[in-house]
Each structure stands twice: as C-alpha cells, then as structure tokens.
Amino acid sequence: MSAAIRPEVLTEAVGNVLVVTLNREHVRNAVNTAMAEGVAGALDELDRRRDLVAGVLTGAGSTFCSGMDLKAFLAGERPGVPGRGFAGIVERGSDKPLIAAVEGHAIAGGFEIVLACDLVVASETAAFGLPEVKRGLVAAAGGLFRLPQRVPYQLAMEMALTGEFVPAERARELGLVNRLVPAGEAASAALELAAAIARNGPLAVAATKRIITLSRDWSAEESFDRQRPMAEDVRSSEDAREGARAFTEKRPPRWSGK
C-alpha cells in the first residue's frame, strides 16, 4: 500500500525496494516546495531503513516531471531542501542505488532529477531536455555538469545550448537510458531492475555505488588507497561470510546487513 510522505509524494515498499512517486499529475509533476520536501523525506527513509536496498523514482500519470513549478516560483517559493537542493535530490541523492522510471517528458529540472539518479528506465514515450536557455535561464540544478559525464562533450553542449528535446530512442543510443520499454511499462521495468540489485548483499551494493560515485574525483595514484577501507569493511562483514557459505552450499544467501 502506498503511503504519503506528503500528498505530493507517495512511497511504497515493494520487497527491498522503495518506490517513490511524484504525485502532482495535474501540473505534470512540476516541483514545488512541498514536493521537494516529500522527496527529501522519502530519500531519508530509503537511507535510514536497513531492509531497503534500492529505490525507484517515478511520476504519476503520463509525465515524469516538467521541472520547477513556475507559478509557485513566481509566488515566492524556492522548491529545494537545505542539504539536498532542488527537488530534494539534486545536491544529495540517496546512499543507495536509485532508478528513474520515466514516462513522457523529463525536462528542465525534471531531467536534472533524472541525472541525479544512478540508472534510468524509460518508456518509448519519454523525452529529455534542458530548455532553460529558451526562457533566458540557466539549468542550475546539476544538469550542466552531470550531462557531460553521461554523453560526449559536443552532444552535451548541443542539448544545453539549443534546449531541444531528445527522444527516448536517441537517449538510449547516447547511453542516457539503461533500458527502453513500451509505453506504460517504465515503472514495472525499473522495479524489476531494482529487485535484481536488491537480491545482492546490501553492504556490497551500497559500497559499490559509493566507490563508483566518489572515484570520479580520485587520481589514479590514490584510487586503490581510497577504495581500500570501503572494500575491506564489506569484506570483513558477516554478509561476506554468508555470501561465501551460500555459494559453497548452493543456496540463496540470507543477508543480514551486518
């Protein structure tokens, strides 16, 4: 059963996966302050609960997210959360793997939310873009430095400087999308992918994400030294011993998160 962190954001635990739904369908899931606070609360829950290994972030209805709610902005709202930034996610996401499940448009701040996630499952209806320049604005919620990490420099420049949208199939070709699925199936496909992640050792999954994320800023000389304590913490865990026992005994592992 879904629960509401706030009415603007629904959460539902499905096995070891937390599904988070942006729930302002009447405004194409545009982000206001209440939604940002709801997303931040959902990510806090995902990080806090030891029984949860991964998360899926999706939007209600036929649109993932159209970006910032401009009416709320003009009324004086700033749809961010201290420490987590715009939409409660772009400056600090989850410590655990987070999958964006995209139907329809993920544009402006909505695309920046997608870029703040670790993996992307998109339906054939999806489209991505940073149209801020068309409105005389700058995409300041992480898109201008995350996008060049995901696609070649020239393509990131083209998307950011023209503001044109990229359809789902092209986004898949560029490597922005992990899995492309028929319309209406993004959330279920993302949940399948999250479940495949959640079957693995939770300590190992969290450490793996952390190393991949942090190592982008490590030099070649320091990489192994920086990785070593994180890997050793997992190697010395009860879960590591359980994984080895389960393999030798030819049975599924029973993870404890310890």
Side-chain angles (χ1 to χ4, degrees):
M1 179 179 296
S2 296
I5 296 289
R6 302 188 65 132
E8 296 81 3
V9 177
L10 304 178
T11 61
E12 180 181 10
V14 181
N16 291 346
V17 177
L18 186 68
V19 178
V20 181
T21 303
L22 308 178
N23 191 40
R24 302 188 73 221
E25 185 178 356
H26 63 292
V27 289
R28 299 188 301 159
N29 298 320
V31 181
N32 63 0
T33 300
M35 178 181 280
E37 291 172 348
V39 171
L43 297 182
D44 287 343
E45 179 183 358
L46 176 58
D47 288 342
R48 180 179 65 250
R49 287 179 52 178
R50 289 178 58 182
D51 61 312
L52 297 173
V53 181
V56 169
L57 179 61
T58 191
S62 59
T63 298
F64 177 79
C65 177
S66 58
M68 180 172 63
D69 186 327
L70 295 180
K71 289 184 179 179
F73 171 75
L74 291 173
E77 288 194 26
R78 296 295 183 269
V81 174
R84 287 198 182 271
F86 172 76
I89 186 174
V90 301
E91 292 182 23
R92 182 169 70 86
S94 173
D95 296 334
K96 299 170 183 177
L98 190 61
I99 303 170
V102 182
E103 299 277 353
H105 283 174
I107 58 173
F111 185 29
E112 292 175 299
I113 293 171
V114 171
L115 291 170
C117 295
D118 303 297
L119 301 99
V120 182
V121 174
S123 85
E124 295 166 345
T125 69
F128 306 87
L130 296 174
E132 281 86 348
V133 290
K134 291 178 177 288
R135 303 184 181 100
L137 298 171
V138 172
L144 297 184
F145 47 81
R146 287 196 171 108
L147 185 58
Q149 295 173 349
R150 309 290 177 87
V151 302
Y153 172 88
Q154 292 88 348
L155 295 174
M157 276 291 188
E158 181 178 346
M159 289 181 67
L161 293 177
T162 66
E164 299 297 332
F165 297 168
V166 171
E169 182 60 43
R170 179 59 172 156
R172 177 73 170 89
E173 293 171 357
L174 295 175
L176 282 169
V177 171
N178 294 83
R179 297 185 181 178
L180 188 62
V181 298
E185 296 184 14
S188 59
L191 189 56
E192 289 178 5
L193 179 56
I197 294 169
R199 286 193 289 270
N200 299 319
L203 298 179
V205 166
T208 296
K209 171 178 172 172
R210 189 175 182 216
I211 291 167
I212 290 175
T213 302
L214 295 178
S215 63
R216 288 179 296 193
D217 298 321
W218 297 347
S219 68
E221 292 77 13
E222 67 180 341
S223 292
F224 281 97
D225 287 339
R226 297 286 294 273
Q227 173 186 258
R228 189 167 293 110
M230 301 179 216
E232 288 300 322
D233 282 348
V234 176
R235 189 189 300 272
S236 62
S237 69
E238 175 55 35
D239 272 359
R241 290 188 288 274
E242 166 60 14
R245 282 194 298 266
F247 179 78
T248 59
E249 295 170 8
K250 296 181 173 57
R251 60 169 175 81
R254 297 183 288 271
W255 309 117
S256 65
K258 300 178 182 178

